[in-house]
Amino acid sequence: MSIAFKGSHYERDIILWGVRWYVAYPLSYRQVEEMMGERGVKVDHTTLHRWVLRYVPLLEKAFVDRKRPVGGSWRMDETYIRIKGVWKYLYRAVDKAGATVDFLLTAKRDRKAALPFLCKAITRHRAPRTITIDKSGANTAAIDSYNTEHDAGIKMRQVKYLNNLVEQDHRAIKRITRQMLGFKNFWSAATTIAGIEIMHMIRKGQLHSTAKLRPAQQFYSLAG
């Protein structure tokens, strides 16, 4: 798949450069604007914002098509993301090797939020053998519902120390979002977080590539 950049006032490489900087490092849009200006590229921070919202969904689709398989033992948990001054919930899962399984930003923290995340993750991969969670009632209810509705046999474990793996992995995402000065709306937050997660997975070696490329080069390769 090749992403079309036709109609843009900027070259493809400059757009990808700006998008990657924003989702890869703990920077604000104004800081990225300043850094690009120092390198001879005059671009407004609002234009950078539009680039992220426009191209990250396309980059995510390209990444999913080339994502390496994950293991069958998952650790599932949620963390907090502030949007317009209100806490929302980012559901995430990793396998026992630390590879990201999937993620989903939700407005609430309950069974109706956890179940769509679980379905999304299983659709993109396949049902795991086991899912380790903390004592969250929402996650317990979601796994029970999935097992009942799909006649699945996912084994659920509630072992705090085993779930430390996903809790530690949250930090890589929170470290970057903390510098973004707060999201203004849910869609913008969800799109931006998708870009951050893509870059995080690339750094963990989750993009299938036939060539030995640095993480930055792998990110750019998603555009075709």
Side-chain angles (χ1 to χ4, degrees), residues 49-65:
H49 178 63
R50 288 196 296 271
W51 288 351
V52 169
L53 297 185
R54 179 176 178 181
Y55 293 107
V56 163
L58 301 176
L59 294 167
E60 182 184 13
K61 185 179 185 303
F63 178 86
V64 169
D65 290 342

Side-chain angles (χ1 to χ4, degrees), residues 82-87 183:
R82 188 184 291 276
I83 303 175
K84 212 171 182 179
V86 179
W87 289 114
F183 294 107

Side-chain angles (χ1 to χ4, degrees), residues 83-104:
I83 303 175
K84 212 171 182 179
V86 179
W87 289 114
K88 303 299 180 182
Y89 305 93
L90 178 62
Y91 279 85
R92 306 182 67 250
V94 301
D95 67 13
K96 69 177 182 180
T100 301
V101 176
D102 220 320
F103 55 90
L104 182 68

Side-chain angles (χ1 to χ4, degrees), residues 37-194:
E38 291 174 354
R39 287 157 178 78
V41 179
K42 293 187 65 175
V43 56
D44 189 77
H45 62 277
T46 58
T47 299
L48 289 164
H49 178 63
R50 288 196 296 271
W51 288 351
V52 169
L53 297 185
R54 179 176 178 181
Y55 293 107
V56 163
L58 301 176
L59 294 167
E60 182 184 13
K61 185 179 185 303
F63 178 86
V64 169
D65 290 342
R66 294 169 54 188
K67 184 181 179 183
R68 294 184 184 277
V70 298
S73 178
W74 298 357
R75 278 76 168 136
M76 176 178 168
D77 189 41
E78 67 281 335
T79 189
Y80 300 90
I81 299 291
R82 188 184 291 276
I83 303 175
K84 212 171 182 179
V86 179
W87 289 114
K88 303 299 180 182
Y89 305 93
L90 178 62
Y91 279 85
R92 306 182 67 250
V94 301
D95 67 13
K96 69 177 182 180
T100 301
V101 176
D102 220 320
F103 55 90
L104 182 68
L105 185 66
T106 65
K108 296 183 179 180
R109 183 190 184 194
D110 54 21
R111 185 190 67 83
K112 290 183 178 179
L115 184 57
F117 164 70
L118 188 59
C119 291
K120 178 191 175 193
I122 291 173
T123 298
R124 285 188 171 180
H125 300 279
R126 59 182 179 180
R129 298 184 305 276
T130 62
I131 299 180
T132 302
I133 61 173
D134 56 17
K135 294 184 178 180
S136 168
N139 292 342
T140 301
I143 296 169
D144 285 341
S145 293
Y146 188 90
N147 278 336
T148 300
E149 294 172 13
H150 298 271
D151 194 25
I154 300 172
K155 180 181 177 182
M156 180 170 48
R157 300 184 299 183
Q158 292 181 315
V159 184
K160 178 65 177 177
Y161 78 90
L162 288 179
N163 230 37
N164 286 342
L165 185 63
V166 64
E167 292 172 1
Q168 293 294 323
D169 199 69
H170 291 332
R171 294 185 178 183
I173 308 304
K174 299 295 287 289
R175 180 179 63 88
I176 296 176
T177 59
R178 193 175 297 117
Q179 298 299 114
M180 292 180 172
L181 308 180
F183 294 107
K184 300 301 184 290
N185 62 69
F186 193 90
W187 176 62
S188 175
T191 303
T192 303
I193 288 169

